[in-house]
């Protein structure tokens, strides 16, 4: 036998792992409930260990080919079967495991676009949705060449009026998307009314349950929002959110085999191996699939129900706490374990609490909330700035401390007016203001970076400790400009130094 090469390591593995541990120490904490977005902590260390072992077992496998790696097919089948049952899909519902919510949303749109074209649709198809639909659908419209028609939602409740959406249906609509619930306001869109109107006109209707899919089935008192509704043609549900799996796994379910087959890309027209991809990637990790599969089996329906009940209790408590805070209000009627918090405009000015000052102050107490900017809708009405909280099972254990932080922080910033667009622009150094004012057309990387430096954000991607001024600037700038500057900020972060 020929001896294989055994190169010596340039850096010993232990040293590399030490460096990694040091890097990780500077990250926001993924466990313990202090970060109320991005991470979904079940609070069960055993579940994390199980997921890690499952990933390890699948580490060398290529999820590209379920015929070579049969384990991938079995696990995917079982994951699809579990989520289909949970979302009340019958035998006509089939599905795929994707790498995350965004990929599920992208594929839902691509599939609908292609089915619309196959049915004779010509020209540019339209994607119709409430403005609160996840940004992944803006991305999908951008990638796949659909016009985006975003319907304003109520500026107080975040809820879309079903009739307002339905009146915009037309032959050029390839897909309507509603959310269960929406990320920005935790609003459960009017699935029944919208899906019925879509079915009448044979228009596809996607329910984006990326965040709600594994938790709303255990929420009480909701009108149907899943495959029980006849007009719902597809659904997305993320296992790396309330499925408690590590990042990289979501499910896209489609009603009808023929609808779903359009999702696939297959080619035998190259000199390599025949390619058949149900999802966007080619070679891919099967680790997150295995982890979520293991978690579904470990928890079962009863386990998910218990964790959802914990989320529901914590959400109710936090709503009470926030409703008790003078100057803040909970937006609408949150459905699911997430909240948007806005200023209570009904309170006298000296009692009002700006949600962004509040979030910054809460951070000083060791809790990370997510700031959401105000937004002008197509009808000119303006959605207020809000602060987002995602509540997970682990929240229940820290509820008392979190509540104290929320109340204390509000007391500390009550009466301080929110930063206005004028404040944000007025506080810029003169050269930054001039540069921003002059930026009419496309701006290149150097000019973008110069602006970032001028406004104090040139520090290699580091964001300021206080985010309220930064968000106010995002609200104040034309979106093309803020999007360009943010692109530069993030791109510079990973450039070799
Ligand atoms: C409703 C909804 N849809 C889609 C997504 C996108 O998911 P991901 O971040 O996994 O790509 C999210 C993420 O929060 C979401 O809440």
């Amino acid at each position: 036998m020929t001896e294989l090469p055994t190169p010596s390591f340039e850096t010993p593995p232990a040293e590399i792992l030490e460096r990694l541990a040091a890097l990780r120490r500077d990250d926001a904490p993924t466990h313990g409930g202090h970060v109320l977005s991005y991470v979904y902590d079940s609070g069960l260390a055993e579940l994390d260990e199980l997921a890690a072992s499952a990933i390890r077992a699948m580490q060398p496998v290529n999820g590209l080919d379920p015929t070579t790696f049969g384990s991938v097919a079995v696990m995917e089948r079982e994951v699809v079967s579990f989520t289909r049952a949970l979302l009340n899909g019958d035998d006509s519902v089939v599905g795929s495991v994707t790498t995350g919510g965004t990929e599920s949303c992208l594929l839902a749109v691509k599939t609908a676009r292609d089915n619309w074209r196959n049915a004779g649709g010509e020209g540019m198809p339209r994607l119709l949705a409430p403005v609160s639909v996840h940004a992944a659908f803006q991305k999908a419209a951008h990638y796949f060449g659909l016009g985006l028609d975003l319907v304003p939602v109520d500026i107080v409740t975040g809820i879309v009026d079903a009739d307002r959406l339905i009146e915009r249906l037309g032959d050029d609509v390839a897909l309507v998307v509603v959310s269960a619930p929406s990320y920005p306001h935790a609003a459960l869109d009017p699935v029944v009314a919208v899906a019925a109107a879509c079915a009448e006109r044979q228009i596809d209707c996607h329910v984006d349950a990326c965040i709600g899919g594994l938790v709303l089935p255990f929420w009480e008192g909701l009108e149907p929002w899943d495959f029980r509704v006849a007009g719902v043609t597809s659904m997305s549900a993320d296992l790396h959110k309330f499925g408690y799996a590590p990042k990289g796994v979501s499910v896209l379910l489609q009603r009808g085999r023929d609808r779903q087959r359009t999702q696939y890309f297959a080619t035998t027209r190259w000199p390599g191996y025949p390619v058949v991809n149900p999802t966007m990637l080619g070679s891919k990790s099967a680790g997150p699939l295995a982890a979520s599969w293991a978690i579904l089996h470990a928890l079962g329906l009863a386990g998910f129900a218990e964790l959802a009940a914990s989320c529901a209790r914590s959400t109710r408590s936090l709503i009470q706490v926030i409703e008790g805070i003078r100057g803040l209000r909970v937006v609408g009627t949150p459905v699911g374990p997430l909240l948007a918090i806005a200023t209570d405009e009904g309170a006298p000015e000296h009692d009002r609490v700006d949600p962004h000052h509040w979030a910054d102050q809460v951070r000083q107490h060791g809790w990370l909330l997510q700031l959401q900017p105000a937004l002008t809708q197509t009808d000119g009405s303006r959605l207020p700035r809000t602060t987002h909280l995602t509540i997970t099972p682990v929240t229940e254990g820290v509820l008392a401390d979190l509540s104290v932080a929320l109340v204390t922080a509000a007391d500390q910033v009550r009466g301080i007016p929110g930063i206005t667009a004028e404040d944000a622009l007025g506080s810029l150094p003169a050269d930054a203001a001039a540069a921003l004012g002059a930026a009419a057309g496309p701006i290149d990387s150097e000019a973008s970076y110069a602006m970032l430096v001028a406004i104090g954000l040139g520090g290699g991607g580091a964001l300021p400790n206080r985010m309220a001024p930064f968000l106010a600037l995002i609200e104040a700038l034309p979106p093309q400009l803020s999007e360009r500057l943010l692109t530069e900020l993030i791109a510079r972060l990973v450039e070799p130094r």
Side-chain angles (χ1 to χ4, degrees), residues 231-382:
V232 171
T233 50
S234 58
M235 293 193 70
S236 45
D238 290 357
L239 294 159
H240 67 199
K241 294 194 171 77
F242 286 98
Y244 311 110
K247 291 296 177 242
V249 59
S250 166
V251 172
L252 173 61
L253 298 169
Q254 309 248 17
R255 198 194 293 276
R257 288 201 173 94
D258 287 321
R259 168 177 285 104
Q260 194 238 11
R261 299 312 189 236
T262 312
Q263 181 189 310
Y264 280 64
F265 175 81
T267 184
T268 49
R269 295 174 228 187
W270 77 306
Y273 56 91
V275 166
V276 188
N277 295 156
T279 59
M280 306 203 34
L281 300 186
S283 288
K284 61 183 177 187
S285 168
L289 163 66
S292 64
W293 171 85
I295 289 170
L296 296 185
H297 280 292
L299 284 178
L301 276 183
F304 276 103
E306 262 185 64
L307 293 178
S310 165
C311 294
R313 285 192 297 270
S314 299
T315 305
R316 276 197 300 273
S317 298
L318 286 173
I319 289 176
Q320 266 184 358
V321 167
I322 291 160
E323 281 177 344
I325 297 179
R326 240 177 327 118
L328 285 177
R329 71 176 174 95
V330 177
V331 175
T333 314
V335 174
L338 43 159
L339 303 174
I341 311 302
T343 300
D344 178 6
E345 300 289 347
E349 232 161 86
H350 64 270
D351 266 352
R352 290 185 198 162
V353 176
D354 174 73
H356 289 179
H357 285 326
W358 178 60
D360 278 342
Q361 197 59 33
V362 171
R363 185 170 172 181
Q364 301 299 313
H365 294 271
W367 307 82
L368 212 57
L369 312 184
Q370 194 176 49
L371 291 76
Q372 305 187 127
L375 182 81
T376 303
Q377 310 192 87
T378 49
D379 63 359
S381 63
R382 192 149 167 92

Side-chain angles (χ1 to χ4, degrees), residues 40 99-105 132-137 179-184 208-212 236 238 240-241 247-250 338:
Y40 299 78
T99 55
T102 297
E103 193 185 10
S104 290
C105 298
S132 49
V133 74
H134 194 275
F137 290 94
S179 303
S182 72
Y183 184 85
D208 179 14
C210 277
I211 199 156
S236 45
D238 290 357
H240 67 199
K241 294 194 171 77
K247 291 296 177 242
V249 59
S250 166
L338 43 159

Side-chain angles (χ1 to χ4, degrees), residues 17 74 184 268 346 406:
L17 292 176
V74 173
T268 49
L406 299 181

Side-chain angles (χ1 to χ4, degrees), residues 171-212:
D171 290 344
D172 62 333
V173 175
L175 186 66
V176 172
V177 183
V178 280
S179 303
S182 72
Y183 184 85
H185 307 122
L188 177 60
D189 285 335
V191 178
V192 172
V194 170
C198 288
E200 217 172 88
R201 295 164 180 79
Q202 295 187 315
I203 296 172
D204 283 2
C205 178
H206 180 81
V207 175
D208 179 14
C210 277
I211 199 156

Side-chain angles (χ1 to χ4, degrees), residues 1-321:
M1 236 172 71
T2 316
E3 285 222 348
L4 296 176
T6 51
S8 56
F9 287 137
E10 185 178 280
T11 311
E15 206 177 297
I16 296 167
L17 292 176
E18 254 171 50
R19 171 141 192 258
L20 179 58
L23 291 172
R24 288 283 289 110
R25 275 195 289 277
D26 289 338
D27 283 343
T30 54
H31 287 77
H34 280 250
V35 176
L36 288 106
S37 62
Y38 296 135
V39 290
Y40 299 78
D41 184 0
S42 69
L44 304 171
E46 217 183 334
L47 215 56
D48 286 347
E49 282 308 312
L50 173 66
S53 302
I55 288 181
R56 176 111 213 181
M58 293 307 281
Q59 185 169 303
V61 165
N62 191 341
L64 166 70
D65 185 354
T67 63
T68 303
F69 303 104
S71 59
V72 173
V74 173
M75 286 189 292
E76 181 156 356
R77 191 187 308 144
E78 292 184 11
V79 166
V80 168
S81 166
F82 184 94
T83 43
R84 177 175 81 171
L86 195 59
L87 300 174
N88 293 297
D90 60 20
D91 290 353
S92 70
V93 173
V94 286
S96 309
V97 170
T98 72
T99 55
T102 297
E103 193 185 10
S104 290
C105 298
L106 290 174
L107 283 170
V109 174
K110 186 211 86 76
T111 306
R113 180 202 63 180
D114 291 350
N115 282 323
W116 176 83
R117 280 190 190 148
N118 293 343
E122 281 176 11
M124 187 189 244
R126 190 154 48 101
L127 192 161
L128 178 63
V131 69
S132 49
V133 74
H134 194 275
F137 290 94
Q138 297 194 14
K139 188 180 197 174
H142 180 69
Y143 278 9
F144 300 127
L146 287 87
L148 200 55
D149 189 355
L150 296 177
V151 180
V153 299
D154 186 284
I155 57 170
V156 177
T157 63
I159 294 172
V160 73
D161 175 38
D163 290 337
R164 217 169 159 188
L165 190 146
I166 290 167
E167 72 191 16
R168 301 201 54 76
L169 291 174
D171 290 344
D172 62 333
V173 175
L175 186 66
V176 172
V177 183
V178 280
S179 303
S182 72
Y183 184 85
H185 307 122
L188 177 60
D189 285 335
V191 178
V192 172
V194 170
C198 288
E200 217 172 88
R201 295 164 180 79
Q202 295 187 315
I203 296 172
D204 283 2
C205 178
H206 180 81
V207 175
D208 179 14
C210 277
I211 199 156
L214 275 288
V215 69
L216 288 202
F218 310 101
W219 226 251
E220 283 168 10
L222 306 182
E223 73 163 26
W225 52 276
D226 56 14
F227 283 111
R228 282 167 293 173
V229 182
V232 171
T233 50
S234 58
M235 293 193 70
S236 45
D238 290 357
L239 294 159
H240 67 199
K241 294 194 171 77
F242 286 98
Y244 311 110
K247 291 296 177 242
V249 59
S250 166
V251 172
L252 173 61
L253 298 169
Q254 309 248 17
R255 198 194 293 276
R257 288 201 173 94
D258 287 321
R259 168 177 285 104
Q260 194 238 11
R261 299 312 189 236
T262 312
Q263 181 189 310
Y264 280 64
F265 175 81
T267 184
T268 49
R269 295 174 228 187
W270 77 306
Y273 56 91
V275 166
V276 188
N277 295 156
T279 59
M280 306 203 34
L281 300 186
S283 288
K284 61 183 177 187
S285 168
L289 163 66
S292 64
W293 171 85
I295 289 170
L296 296 185
H297 280 292
L299 284 178
L301 276 183
F304 276 103
E306 262 185 64
L307 293 178
S310 165
C311 294
R313 285 192 297 270
S314 299
T315 305
R316 276 197 300 273
S317 298
L318 286 173
I319 289 176
Q320 266 184 358
V321 167

